[in-house]
Amino acid sequence: DSGVTQTPKHLITATGQRVTLRCSPRSGDLSVYWYQQSLDQGLQFLIQYYNGEERAKGNILERFSAQQFPDLHSELNLSSLELGDSALYFCASSVRGATEAEQFFGPGTRLTVL
Amino acid sequence: QKEVEQDPGPLSVPEGAIVSLNCTYSNSAFQYFMWYRQYSRKGPELLMYTYSSGNKEDGRFTAQVDKSSKYISLFIRDSQPSDSATYLCATSPSGSARQLTFGSGTQLTVLP
């Protein structure tokens, strides 16, 4: 158990809908990262937050957005869902400093868009 | 061309064998190198973490980084059936943003 929690574990929804994925980082970790894992694209970085502020953006679609709250939990919002958005979504967290590259992953949310 | 290339396998070895997993990368800015293990449909688990070039050993696992050739390796000694999983290499640049760039993963099966 990495100490990172994600809810829900599974999500099944229809095209055009909007969903929210939630992540709680390990105790004391200030950075939260979101990744998407699909069969064709592998594991890809979406966005990073550090202590409530956006730190870096990867290949995140405009239909996707995220935020990190004062209690450090984070939410990833996916809207106008398409079939191609079906994937595993992982959250990872890390501490600040030289070891910040060490990221610990949650169990993921499996999103199925029908 | 992907920034991190990894042979997807699959790789099948007998129990007790030494396993060698490899990645190459193209971006000279990458300074941190990691290996993750991922069981089917689970979150990636951090196995090894190294900074810059050199070797790091942890039990049966040894990670090697050669920045001159942009080559990353993971060796597993005395492999066990429980090592059967997908192994992902990952890299990160220095600086304030430490997003990981992953290889595509190598699927390993250790046969009893």
Side-chain angles (χ1 to χ4, degrees):
Chain A
D1 184 356
S2 67
V4 179
T5 60
Q6 289 187 248
T7 57
K9 287 185 179 179
H10 303 280
L11 204 47
I12 301 175
T13 188
T15 55
Q17 295 299 304
R18 172 189 171 95
V19 297
T20 297
L21 313 183
R22 182 187 169 105
C23 167
S24 292
R26 297 186 315 162
S27 177
D29 284 0
L30 299 178
S31 277
V32 169
Y33 304 77
W34 287 96
Y35 292 86
Q36 179 193 57
Q37 187 174 39
S38 61
L39 283 175
D40 56 343
Q41 295 292 324
L43 197 54
Q44 290 204 314
F45 168 71
L46 294 177
I47 196 165
Q48 177 199 0
Y49 276 82
Y50 175 79
N51 203 21
E53 295 193 359
E54 183 182 304
R55 175 67 64 86
K57 261 187 176 180
N59 297 322
I60 188 167
L61 299 171
E62 286 191 10
R63 300 183 285 109
F64 296 1
S65 65
Q67 55 185 327
Q68 186 179 27
F69 295 87
D71 67 352
L72 300 178
H73 90 271
S74 178
E75 293 180 356
L76 179 67
N77 300 296
L78 315 176
S79 62
S80 302
L81 286 168
E82 302 175 358
L83 295 178
D85 297 328
S86 295
L88 269 167
Y89 291 84
F90 290 106
C91 164
S93 73
S94 67
V95 300
R96 181 184 181 182
T99 58
E100 191 174 343
E102 289 181 282
Q103 296 179 22
F104 298 88
F105 282 73
T109 293
R110 179 171 294 276
L111 173 66
T112 302
V113 182
L114 300 175
Chain B
Q1 182 188 3
K2 291 184 177 180
E3 286 190 292
V4 180
E5 297 279 359
Q6 183 174 7
D7 185 344
L11 181 62
S12 186
V13 301
E15 183 175 355
I18 297 174
V19 177
S20 173
L21 304 169
N22 307 293
C23 290
T24 58
Y25 65 95
S26 57
N27 190 340
S28 298
F30 291 145
Q31 298 288 336
Y32 298 90
F33 306 92
M34 285 132 287
W35 284 95
Y36 283 84
R37 177 173 63 193
Q38 186 176 25
Y39 294 111
S40 181
R41 300 191 175 194
K42 303 293 186 183
E45 173 193 359
L46 182 61
L47 281 178
M48 301 289 285
Y49 163 84
T50 53
Y51 172 70
S52 196
S53 284
N55 294 358
K56 186 172 184 178
E57 188 174 321
D58 184 1
R60 297 184 295 111
F61 298 90
T62 299
Q64 286 186 354
V65 176
D66 182 348
K67 290 189 69 182
S68 63
S69 59
K70 295 187 176 65
Y71 201 78
I72 314 164
S73 300
L74 177 70
F75 298 95
I76 307 174
R77 291 182 299 279
D78 187 26
S79 57
Q80 303 295 311
S82 58
D83 294 330
S84 298
T86 296
Y87 289 80
L88 297 148
C89 61
T91 64
S92 174
S94 59
S96 60
R98 299 286 177 86
Q99 65 268 27
L100 300 179
T101 300
F102 283 87
S104 56
T106 298
Q107 186 179 344
L108 171 68
T109 300
V110 181
L111 302 170

